[in-house]
Amino acid sequence: MNTKRRSVLIDQPMQRRHRPDYILVLLSLVLLSIGLIVVYAISPGLSAQKGVEANYYASKQIIAVALGLVAFFITAQLPLKSLRTIQKPLIVLAVVASVLVQLFGQEVNGASRWLQIGGISFQAVELIKFALLIWMASFLTQRHKEGELGSQAKTIKPMLIAVGICSFVVAVVQSDLGSAGVIVAMMGSMAFVAGLPMKKVLMFAAIIALGTFLAIASSPYRRERLAIFMNPEQDCQNVGYQACQALSAVGSGGLFGKGIGGSVQAYGYLPESANDSIFAIFAEMSGFLGTSVLIGLFIALFSRLKAIIEKAPDTRTRLLVTGILAWLSTQALINIGAMIGLLPLKGITLPFVSYGGTSIIFVTAAIGLVFNASRYTTYGVNSMALTEGKRYDDPADRRGNRRTHYATVSRRP
Amino acid sequence: MQPPDKLLFTPVQRIRIWYFLLLFVCSVFVVRLFYLQVIRHDYYKSAALTSQLKQYEIPAERGIIEVQNGKERVPIVLNEMRYTLVADPKMIKDPAKAARLIRETIGGDAGEYETKMKLDTRYSILAKKLSRQQKEDVSRLEIPGVITAEAPQRTYPQGTLAAQLLGFVDDEGQGRYGLEQALNDKLKGQNGQLKAITDARGVPLAANDENILKEPEHGEGIVLTIDLGMQQQLEDILKQGVEHAKSNSGGAIIMDARTGGIKAVANYPTYNPAEFFRVESKDISVFENKIVSSPLEVGSVMKPLTMAAALDQGVVNRNSSFHDQGYFKIDGATITNVEESGGSGQRSLNDILQLSLNTGATWLLMQMGGGEINEQARTAWHDYMVNHYRLGKPTGVEQGYEGAGTIPDPSEGYGLNIRFANSAFGQGMTATPLQMAAAISSVVNGGTYYRPHLVERTIAADGRETVKKPEVVSPNVVSSKASKDLKEIMEYAFSKNYRAYGGMPKLRNEFSIGGKTGTAEIANPEGGYYTDRYNGLFMGFVGGNEVEYVIVVRVDEPKIAGYAGTKAAGPIFVSIVNTLIDNFGVTPKK
């Protein structure tokens, strides 16, 4: 027992638990609440358009958040090591879900992304992202340990193949370029932070750029969207409709917004008011003040993740949280960027805020993992020292306060 | 382990670089948001309002129309809510399926629906006049892009009754023909306006600063002078009479001589105003109230007016007579009488009307000129026609397309003397039956010209009723002496001739009944007159000590044997008189 424990300690020296990052949880809850409030406020309008009961959307969102909290508690308690064991089943599940979506999926705007299971619609891409995140973290950790991170054959090739397959499935088969972008950003960021040689990083970037270009050029639907993005107001009545309505919603919010119940654009003008376009509705309700606060909240959340990455106890944790940060941040930026006319429209959700159970459950599950990891961060000792050949407990890294640095964990993540 | 020196940046440095990029993008976003939400706020606010703020007409309710029924009032035109089915083709994803569903629900042609749902417009009318049930059935289909709009519609509890008099309301809500056209503005009211922020389907959202509401002013209700029973009887009588006379069309009017109020107006053939759209375009003349709109050469029914004018001027009196040689030569033309008039002889005023002497009418005109037809005669007669009897100009009755008729000018043109001689017996001039009814009414009621009218009272939207008093246009059309004389002469003519009309086995002496036939020649557009076509007219009155109703009947080109006035119009007049006496309480003489 003792020897086993010791070996574990050598392998993963920071296994001592300390107080986790409650601010992270608090920020997540605030973001979830903003989403709930917006969905609640526009629920009557959405329901009227669809002819369902007035609180249909609000009550579904409450259920989604409740399920999200359950997911959070599960992943927050899950031993991080066990991720390795669920990695394979997750990949199998993701593949099955992709196939099912292709066979029975609901088609929306020429893209089949949704799977109806009973009364619940499930977005397969969320599972794909999550499975890929877990796999990439282990894969890169493995290669890192082996010192093969820069290896063409052992690292770059399998990674490119994985990215290629996943983005092909998501972007081409499911026609979801936004999510493909998130996947690429997530994997790229993980590889980058893992320590991929800069040459490879640049090569990687070039491949992504080429892939994006091909993806856009290959589909008339995307070419059209890009053209509209360049000049949305030219065709406000047809293809540019959503972009124009989104800008109208954001712009008409003004400095202080129209108030929580004040959104008009949600009443059938702005498509996907509750999901993809929820940022624009929020902007209409809360004005520049509200949008700045929302972006501030996201930055605050991301800064917590960044701090955890910096002080991650081991490579796996570091890469896992990096992947989550990259996922959440690129997804948020792609979503918001489209709403404010800086990026072409992509059908992806704003993490935490958008209506939709699948998105919320996976996002909260990811936050659970981060919360979990925040219990094991190191202080004082730069955990990255490991990669620089230093021992984790080199006294030189101590502050010289003669205390063990584990004793002061209570105030930090 | 990888040697550290091979790494360009450490992982911590890398995540910091990464995070810095993220912060940079976020700050770009915030700047962009400031630009959109603060600097460009006004632009986007108005852009949003352009689509959100919609202006609606709140339709005013069209006034209903009622008629008299004894002492009661009954509605003859009401409103009913119907629905129009409208598609927004841009919102319809599967027109074929939508068309099929609609056909299964309300019937119709699926192909036609589909075509209409593929039009390049955002407002395509699929079907009109749906009932409430049909509307609810279609709404239940919940086809996105298919909506129903309220479209109030006129209904007619009395069916086709008084169709031409009422007119109809077209799909644009405009009154066409008859009362609906003449009183369109009053009936229609003033539409209200709602400016409101709406959802994308156009449903106004709750109270908002931008909302403006102007309540509609509903149209006025109208109570007509028309008597339901008289109208029904008149239409029946007219139909039988016209068919009996083998004519294609005809009309009749009953007017209250004491007020100018029109009690009944019938036209045959008729149509159903609720289904005005079924009338084919070649038949649209069926919409016209020809009693009012269609002037014609009235023929001999003019003679009482000529005589009244002569009596009133004092150029003849009750006992005047003249030697009738059977013809007059004027301006090279010859005026003759019909064969049955009995040749030459001494003729009294009674004879002139009883025998319908054209020479007699000419003689009366001559008396106005001191023995010959001259400028003085023409001017005097013209003055009576235009200023006393108010011919040649619309009466102002509340009807669309009122005709004016034409009266020859006394000093302009050629052949004036023969033209005026003709006009003395109703040729070479035109008038509507309504004008004739109003004129004879003023002659036999003691000399007061009441404006012919249909509106007895109006009912404002708030229920306030305004009774419309009969309008005296001229109090002394003819003197009361002339009036009394002429009334007697017309009674005499009727008493001598009524057997020829049939329908009254014995003269109803307890009542005052007078009348004059007219068999009017019809001008041929190519010149001259048709030799084989006549219009039959009858102009008369019924009452007791005072005249109560005047009646004018016209039967167009009857094919029945005998004089058109006598054989076609006369029987209709007698039937009307009988009905008025028997069913509508004409007061007997005391």
Side-chain angles (χ1 to χ4, degrees):
Chain A
M1 190 65 201
N2 204 19
T3 49
K4 192 179 178 193
R5 184 170 184 82
R6 180 159 177 76
S7 76
V8 166
L9 277 171
I10 287 168
D11 188 28
Q12 292 180 315
M14 313 308 168
Q15 283 291 44
R16 262 180 77 174
R17 282 167 68 113
H18 54 72
R19 189 175 157 176
D21 187 357
Y22 288 115
I23 309 254
L24 172 81
V25 180
L26 183 69
L27 288 167
S28 306
L29 284 176
V30 171
L31 286 169
L32 282 172
S33 314
I34 288 175
L36 256 181
I37 290 167
V38 176
V39 170
Y40 175 77
I42 65 175
S43 188
L46 297 172
S47 311
Q49 307 296 317
K50 268 215 158 178
V52 289
E53 181 254 323
N55 280 327
Y56 175 84
Y57 286 87
S59 49
K60 279 194 91 169
Q61 184 73 347
I62 287 172
I63 293 168
V65 170
L67 289 175
L69 291 179
V70 172
F72 171 84
F73 284 117
I74 292 170
T75 54
Q77 298 306 322
L78 205 67
L80 278 174
K81 279 184 296 176
S82 67
L83 283 181
R84 238 179 305 189
T85 56
I86 63 163
Q87 175 183 318
K88 270 187 190 148
L90 265 180
I91 291 169
V92 170
L93 259 179
V95 170
V96 169
S98 307
V99 171
L100 286 178
V101 156
Q102 216 43 52
L103 293 179
F104 310 109
Q106 256 188 336
E107 198 157 306
V108 180
N109 298 335
S112 44
R113 301 170 183 175
W114 298 86
L115 204 56
Q116 284 285 348
I117 306 164
I120 306 150
S121 47
F122 180 79
Q123 227 178 348
V125 71
E126 300 290 344
L127 182 60
I128 297 173
K129 277 189 286 195
F130 198 77
L132 209 57
L133 168 76
I134 308 289
W135 174 79
M136 269 293 274
S138 333
F139 174 74
L140 288 173
T141 308
Q142 195 64 35
R143 292 293 173 272
H144 179 257
K145 256 186 237 164
E146 294 162 1
E148 298 278 10
L149 211 51
S151 156
Q152 197 81 29
K154 284 194 159 177
T155 311
I156 311 290
K157 251 194 196 164
M159 220 171 74
L160 281 180
I161 289 168
V163 171
I165 291 174
C166 290
S167 9
F168 177 79
V169 168
V170 173
V172 181
V173 180
Q174 298 184 10
S175 238
D176 187 354
L177 196 60
S179 294
V182 171
I183 286 170
V184 170
M186 188 172 82
M187 296 179 85
S189 306
M190 288 168 91
F192 174 67
V193 171
L196 202 69
M198 282 310 278
K199 241 206 244 169
K200 302 274 155 71
V201 171
L202 292 175
M203 189 191 77
F204 207 69
I207 290 171
I208 290 166
L210 187 71
T212 312
F213 172 76
L214 287 177
I216 291 172
S218 69
S219 148
Y221 167 69
R222 281 186 204 120
R223 277 205 305 274
E224 202 178 41
R225 285 204 148 191
L226 189 72
I228 289 147
F229 160 63
M230 299 301 188
N231 201 349
E233 314 207 336
Q234 209 165 50
D235 194 15
C236 273
Q237 284 313 309
N238 296 305
V239 203
Y241 178 79
Q242 190 178 354
C244 285
Q245 292 295 344
L247 284 176
S248 284
V250 172
S252 61
L255 186 55
F256 300 107
K258 296 183 183 170
I260 285 172
S263 171
V264 179
Q265 290 293 88
Y267 283 84
Y269 292 103
L270 180 55
E272 305 294 329
S273 289
N275 326 313
D276 307 348
S277 307
I278 200 163
F279 179 82
I281 298 297
F282 175 76
E284 187 188 8
M285 290 176 176
S286 66
F288 178 67
L289 238 54
T291 52
S292 320
V293 167
L294 184 67
I295 290 182
L297 285 168
F298 271 113
I299 291 174
L301 181 84
F302 297 152
S303 78
R304 306 306 290 187
L305 267 70
K306 173 198 152 242
I308 293 164
I309 295 164
E310 285 180 352
K311 298 177 173 59
D314 55 32
T315 305
R316 170 190 299 282
T317 311
R318 181 166 70 238
L319 294 181
L320 188 69
V321 181
T322 301
I324 291 169
L325 172 59
W327 159 22
L328 298 183
S329 58
T330 45
Q331 190 162 333
L333 292 181
I334 290 174
N335 178 283
I336 297 174
M339 290 296 112
I340 60 179
L342 288 179
L343 290 173
L345 279 174
K346 294 274 168 267
I348 60 172
T349 54
L350 182 59
F352 300 102
V353 184
S354 277
Y355 170 82
T358 325
S359 167
I360 285 186
I361 289 166
F362 282 99
V363 166
T364 48
I367 291 297
L369 291 178
V370 178
F371 181 72
N372 199 342
S374 73
R375 290 195 181 101
Y376 303 103
T377 51
T378 61
Y379 182 78
V381 176
N382 191 334
S383 65
M384 300 298 170
L386 280 172
T387 55
E388 287 150 32
K390 289 180 183 172
R391 289 182 56 89
Y392 69 96
D393 55 350
D394 189 336
D397 282 340
R398 296 188 183 169
R399 283 197 176 155
N401 59 6
R402 293 179 161 270
R403 293 193 203 158
T404 61
H405 53 259
Y406 302 127
T408 58
V409 295
S410 62
R411 295 274 302 172
R412 56 173 171 73
Chain B
M1 288 277 173
Q2 212 163 9
D5 56 342
K6 279 188 80 179
L7 215 55
L8 189 50
F9 297 104
T10 66
V12 169
Q13 283 170 322
R14 287 182 179 220
I15 191 64
R16 283 180 184 158
I17 292 168
W18 198 97
Y19 186 70
F20 175 77
L21 275 172
L22 176 65
L23 285 184
F24 174 75
V25 175
C26 285
S27 53
V28 170
F29 279 23
V30 172
V31 170
R32 171 74 174 173
L33 279 166
F34 185 79
Y35 171 75
L36 291 177
Q37 298 195 278
V38 181
I39 296 172
R40 296 271 280 163
H41 171 59
D42 290 340
Y43 169 81
Y44 286 111
K45 189 183 171 188
S46 66
L49 281 180
T50 309
S51 51
Q52 294 167 353
L53 196 61
K54 292 189 186 73
Q55 202 166 318
Y56 291 90
E57 293 243 296
I58 307 174
E61 214 173 289
R62 202 173 171 92
I64 65 164
I65 301 175
E66 293 173 292
V67 294
Q68 315 284 337
N69 186 19
K71 292 215 161 22
E72 295 172 357
R73 302 198 308 231
V74 290
I76 190 163
V77 183
L78 292 170
N79 299 313
E80 179 186 47
M81 194 51 83
R82 288 282 160 147
Y83 302 87
T84 304
L85 191 65
V86 184
D88 176 355
K90 285 226 157 46
M91 283 177 68
I92 294 172
K93 296 208 173 64
D94 186 350
K97 187 184 166 204
R100 187 170 48 75
L101 284 172
I102 291 171
R103 187 187 59 79
E104 282 167 7
T105 311
I106 59 163
D109 179 359
E112 197 185 318
Y113 292 142
E114 195 178 334
T115 315
K116 285 175 176 171
M117 282 190 264
K118 285 175 175 166
L119 295 178
D120 184 24
T121 168
R122 300 213 59 173
Y123 193 89
S124 174
I125 292 172
L126 300 179
K128 282 180 175 178
K129 302 191 194 294
L130 301 190
S131 66
R132 173 175 288 277
Q133 184 60 45
Q134 285 178 311
K135 172 226 166 197
E136 283 171 5
D137 290 345
V138 174
S139 301
R140 217 169 288 128
L141 297 174
E142 290 184 358
I143 305 170
V146 174
I147 57 161
T148 52
E150 288 191 342
Q153 180 190 297
R154 289 300 225 186
T155 58
Y156 303 87
Q158 305 296 337
T160 63
L161 197 74
Q164 292 84 358
L165 174 88
L166 297 171
F168 57 87
V169 178
D170 69 14
D171 289 347
E172 277 72 48
Q174 297 300 319
R176 303 288 309 278
Y177 297 95
L179 269 172
E180 298 274 21
Q181 173 167 320
L183 300 180
N184 188 47
D185 291 344
K186 269 192 179 176
L187 286 164
K188 205 173 149 196
Q190 195 82 45
N191 283 354
Q193 266 192 350
L194 173 63
K195 242 186 177 178
I197 295 215
T198 70
D199 71 7
R201 297 175 306 175
V203 180
L205 301 180
N208 193 299
D209 297 343
E210 312 279 349
N211 292 4
I212 296 170
L213 176 69
K214 184 175 149 262
E215 293 287 355
E217 289 167 33
H218 295 302
E220 281 182 17
I222 286 172
V223 182
L224 298 181
T225 53
I226 295 292
D227 184 281
L228 181 69
M230 280 191 210
Q231 179 71 30
Q232 286 166 336
Q233 302 268 348
L234 184 65
E235 290 193 14
D236 288 349
I237 291 167
L238 177 71
K239 181 170 185 287
Q240 283 174 21
V242 170
E243 283 170 358
H244 170 75
K246 300 185 182 118
S247 157
N248 290 324
S249 59
I253 178 171
I254 304 172
M255 180 192 271
D256 191 325
R258 299 157 294 187
T259 61
I262 296 168
K263 306 304 285 183
V265 176
N267 285 273
Y268 179 85
T270 189
Y271 73 104
N272 182 358
E275 297 189 324
F276 65 88
F277 44 87
R278 293 202 196 284
V279 173
E280 291 177 39
S281 54
K282 66 177 170 63
D283 296 330
I284 56 161
S285 70
V286 79
F287 292 145
E288 285 180 41
N289 181 4
K290 296 193 189 72
I291 290 293
V292 172
S293 68
S294 172
L296 73 165
E297 297 192 32
V298 294
S300 301
V301 295
M302 193 68 178
K303 286 169 186 160
L305 298 183
T306 314
M307 189 173 288
L311 283 166
D312 187 47
Q313 289 172 65
V315 295
V316 295
N317 62 48
R318 185 70 183 82
N319 303 315
S320 299
S321 65
F322 78 110
H323 179 76
D324 181 15
Q325 54 192 358
Y327 63 91
F328 274 116
K329 273 200 186 315
I330 295 162
D331 288 353
T334 307
I335 288 168
T336 57
N337 292 321
V338 295
E339 288 164 23
E340 295 87 341
S341 62
S344 59
Q346 195 68 19
R347 302 297 183 200
S348 67
L349 297 190
N350 280 358
D351 297 333
I352 294 175
L353 286 199
Q354 187 216 330
L355 301 170
S356 193
L357 298 176
N358 292 344
T359 49
T362 310
W363 173 74
L364 287 168
L365 180 61
M366 287 170 164
Q367 302 319 299
M368 297 181 206
E372 60 167 7
I373 302 179
N374 52 21
E375 173 136 26
Q376 186 196 333
R378 297 196 305 265
T379 308
W381 176 223
H382 183 266
D383 175 53
Y384 269 85
M385 285 195 285
V386 172
N387 297 324
H388 290 239
Y389 304 140
R390 312 190 71 77
L391 303 178
K393 53 192 170 193
T395 64
V397 73
E398 305 92 335
Q399 288 283 288
Y401 301 117
E402 187 182 3
T406 50
I407 301 299
D409 190 280
S411 46
E412 298 271 320
Y414 56 93
L416 288 176
N417 290 336
I418 183 65
R419 282 173 77 181
F420 265 76
N422 281 338
S423 74
F425 49 91
Q427 299 290 157
M429 51 73 68
T430 61
T432 65
L434 176 73
Q435 286 173 322
M436 295 305 288
I440 194 63
S441 174
S442 70
V443 169
V444 297
N445 73 5
T448 306
Y449 188 103
Y450 291 99
R451 188 179 302 285
H453 62 274
L454 283 158
V455 177
E456 191 258 333
R457 66 182 69 199
T458 57
I459 305 170
D462 59 11
R464 220 161 14 88
E465 299 193 0
T466 313
V467 175
K468 205 181 155 198
K469 288 208 183 79
E471 181 191 349
V472 175
V473 178
S474 160
N476 39 21
V477 174
V478 294
S479 66
S480 54
K481 175 76 175 66
S483 169
K484 185 172 160 290
D485 290 346
L486 189 86
K487 193 178 134 191
E488 281 174 22
I489 297 167
M490 285 183 78
E491 284 171 352
Y492 173 82
F494 183 78
S495 71
K496 291 294 175 192
N497 293 336
Y498 76 94
R499 287 184 194 84
Y501 312 140
M504 195 181 283
K506 191 173 167 294
L507 188 66
R508 302 179 83 158
N509 270 324
E510 66 276 34
F511 297 98
S512 154
I513 307 168
K516 178 73 197 83
T517 57
T519 299
E521 294 185 56
I522 301 171
N524 186 335
E526 288 161 17
Y529 284 86
Y530 292 111
T531 52
D532 56 347
R533 299 187 199 175
Y534 301 91
N535 287 327
L537 285 97
F538 202 102
M539 182 172 84
F541 58 83
V542 59
N545 289 343
E546 58 171 0
V547 171
E548 293 185 9
Y549 302 108
V550 296
I551 297 146
V552 175
V553 178
R554 69 180 277 187
V555 179
D556 302 331
E557 302 179 33
K559 306 282 186 303
I560 194 169
Y563 289 106
T566 308
K567 289 298 172 191
I572 296 174
F573 172 77
V574 172
S575 289
I576 295 168
V577 167
N578 282 335
T579 298
L580 289 173
I581 290 171
D582 296 340
N583 303 325
F584 297 98
V586 176
T587 317
K589 285 193 265 195
K590 274 170 204 150

